[in-house]
Amino acid sequence: MLLLLAASSLAAPLFTDLGFVVTAPESGSFARGVNAPTVAWDGAQYVMYFESLSAVEDTPADCANSYAIGRATSPDGLAWTIDEAPVLAPDQVDVVSVYSCSVAQPAVVFADGVFHLLFTMGDEKQDSGSTINRAAGIGYATSTDGVSFTVVTAPTPIGDAEDGTPTGEWHAPDGGSVSTNVGMPSMTLINDTLFVTYVGGTSMYAAKYDTATNQWSLWDTAVSSPWLGTEWAAYGVFSPALYCTNDTLGLLVGGYEDATYGPRGVGLASSTDLVTWEVGAALPADAAPFASLNHVEVMPVGGDSLVFYGMTDPSTGKKGVGLAATSTTWGTPDARACEWEIIDTGGGDADTDTDSDTDTDTDSDTDTDTDTDTDSDTDTDSGDTGTPTDDEGCNCSTGGSNAGMLAAALGALALVRRRRK
């Protein structure tokens, strides 16, 4: 299959910072901070999911720390109401659970009445004196009301298998040692397939998950490797935020300038297949705090864009969620599920292992509640690593409602096509 990419230039939009819109309550489950926001529009309201560090007294003795996922809702994206209780908490009952200590870094898509939620899993601390938990990978859960979630797969069934037994190990990032340290998932839904980006170490990888068959496939090389020559991501990337437009897949992603993890930026990229990316310059940090945030989430709204970010609130010292926008007057948010035709001619290895929760190698959220935290979790289960050719993309129109955000003309030709039912 041939993907046609027209010459284009990714224009960096100018944002206006609107400040913190969700902050830690004085008491309750989320009093230690709210962070790593992911936001969906359910047709009537904005729905945000976030991670929150649990109270010390609520952290089990075998956990270095504990995170839960909370929910907040808003009619306009500015005024938010936080639910009192978490919608997803560590499983401290099941002895083989791989998220007994932590569920964190959520990513959400709402489509056809279903909330699809990816999250980073953490298990018991690495040893008795460790300050971090074992990395367990990325889990998947669904809900029809946005509050009660059912975990479908945990751990995510990707990784090398030995004698049919999942090892829980993901591919070796950038040719290095085998790693379970993956997290920061982001996704969009195209028909029945979740297109996923995630971070392993300081590199970004991609994967696909077929929700109808419970099959995963992933790329075995970092798609962010060519980006490392850019000034804003010279050392690595963090917190990808994937979304779709009428033209292509868009991405905002954080970047580290050097090994201190201090100097940062947020850049813009686009792709039609999750393999080949066009990368732009860093977003201007003079009107929004892109140089100091630690999580980023983007939501297209017609020709505008909303960026929800996680960052330490200097007035409280706790994590909070802020908002920056390309316009202070925006309309109804776009869906995170793309109404596209799928182009699929084969390619990346598919993993048919549907084993649930048998891998005891897990991880806790590595977010230490500091501004330099990369908050990366990991896991996998069962084997498949393959570098796909240009096997999947979109048969998209050009000049869609978000062309102002991407300033790109992208198209694709297909052999096999499926439409949303």
Side-chain angles (χ1 to χ4, degrees):
M1 189 207 75
L2 175 65
L3 289 179
L4 301 180
L5 177 61
S8 60
S9 175
L10 295 180
L14 181 62
F15 287 89
T16 297
D17 186 33
L18 302 177
F20 287 100
V21 294
V22 182
T23 55
E26 293 184 1
S27 61
S29 300
F30 312 120
R32 296 190 71 184
V34 294
N35 193 27
T38 181
V39 184
W41 172 259
D42 69 1
Q45 63 181 351
Y46 294 81
V47 183
M48 177 188 294
Y49 297 92
F50 56 84
E51 70 175 23
S52 184
L53 182 64
S54 302
V56 175
E57 59 270 22
D58 296 331
T59 301
D62 60 349
C63 300
N65 54 49
S66 182
Y67 283 78
I69 293 174
R71 173 181 179 265
T73 56
S74 170
D76 58 8
L78 294 171
W80 292 84
T81 301
I82 301 177
D83 293 358
E84 292 186 4
V87 296
L88 194 63
D91 184 356
Q92 299 173 3
V93 177
D94 189 342
V95 294
V96 297
S97 171
V98 292
Y99 56 99
S100 63
C101 287
S102 181
V103 291
Q105 301 170 346
V108 69
V109 166
F110 176 78
D112 298 330
V114 177
F115 289 88
H116 302 265
L117 188 74
L118 296 181
F119 59 97
T120 302
M121 301 182 294
D123 204 6
E124 62 190 6
K125 65 178 72 173
Q126 293 185 354
D127 55 60
S128 60
S130 179
T131 58
I132 60 174
N133 299 319
R134 294 184 183 276
I138 297 170
Y140 171 54
T142 61
S143 172
T144 56
D145 62 7
V147 177
S148 300
F149 280 88
T150 299
V151 176
V152 178
T153 56
T156 303
I158 302 176
D160 296 328
E162 298 175 358
D163 300 325
T165 302
T167 64
E169 296 172 341
W170 291 55
H171 54 75
D174 296 334
S177 59
V178 173
S179 174
T180 57
N181 187 27
V182 300
M184 292 188 176
S186 183
M187 64 175 165
T188 188
L189 180 68
I190 306 177
N191 295 310
D192 294 327
T193 301
L194 291 176
F195 279 57
V196 182
T197 56
Y198 62 94
V199 172
T202 56
S203 298
M204 191 185 82
Y205 296 83
K208 296 183 298 183
Y209 176 64
D210 188 327
T211 61
T213 62
N214 196 33
Q215 292 183 353
W216 283 91
S217 59
L218 86 159
W219 312 174
D220 62 1
T221 57
V223 298
S224 62
S225 295
W227 307 2
L228 300 184
T230 61
E231 181 179 356
W232 62 273
Y235 184 73
V237 298
F238 67 95
S239 189
L242 186 67
Y243 62 100
C244 60
T245 74
N246 289 344
D247 301 298
T248 185
L249 291 169
L251 185 82
L252 287 186
V253 60
Y256 298 115
E257 294 183 14
D258 56 44
T260 66
Y261 301 101
R264 307 178 182 195
V266 174
L268 178 68
S270 68
S271 175
T272 58
D273 57 4
L274 287 183
V275 178
T276 302
W277 293 84
E278 181 181 9
V279 182
L283 302 184
D286 52 352
F290 295 134
S292 55
L293 58 81
N294 55 20
H295 283 275
V296 62
E297 167 79 327
V298 63
M299 172 173 279
V301 184
D304 300 318
S305 295
L306 307 181
V307 170
F308 295 89
Y309 56 84
M311 193 176 74
T312 299
D313 184 346
S315 65
T316 64
K318 299 178 180 179
K319 294 292 177 63
V321 173
L323 173 62
T326 56
S327 171
T328 56
T329 58
W330 57 83
T332 302
D334 301 344
R336 284 195 173 280
C338 303
E339 298 290 343
W340 288 350
E341 287 184 333
I342 288 294
I343 301 164
D344 194 348
T345 59
D349 298 336
D351 184 347
T352 58
D353 182 6
T354 58
D355 172 70
S356 176
D357 232 8
T358 59
D359 185 327
T360 57
D361 178 15
T362 69
D363 131 76
S364 79
D365 185 51
T366 60
D367 187 330
T368 57
D369 206 30
T370 67
D371 222 23
T372 59
D373 172 70
T374 61
D375 207 18
S376 171
D377 280 286
T378 66
D379 125 286
T380 58
D381 169 4
S382 113
D384 90 72
T385 57
T387 302
T389 56
D390 287 345
D391 67 303
E392 187 155 350
C394 63
N395 188 20
C396 316
S397 61
T398 59
S401 61
N402 293 296
M405 173 71 174
L406 290 172
L410 300 151
L413 300 176
L415 294 179
V416 179
R417 297 172 179 166
R418 295 183 295 153
R419 278 199 178 277
R420 175 183 293 280
K421 301 175 181 177

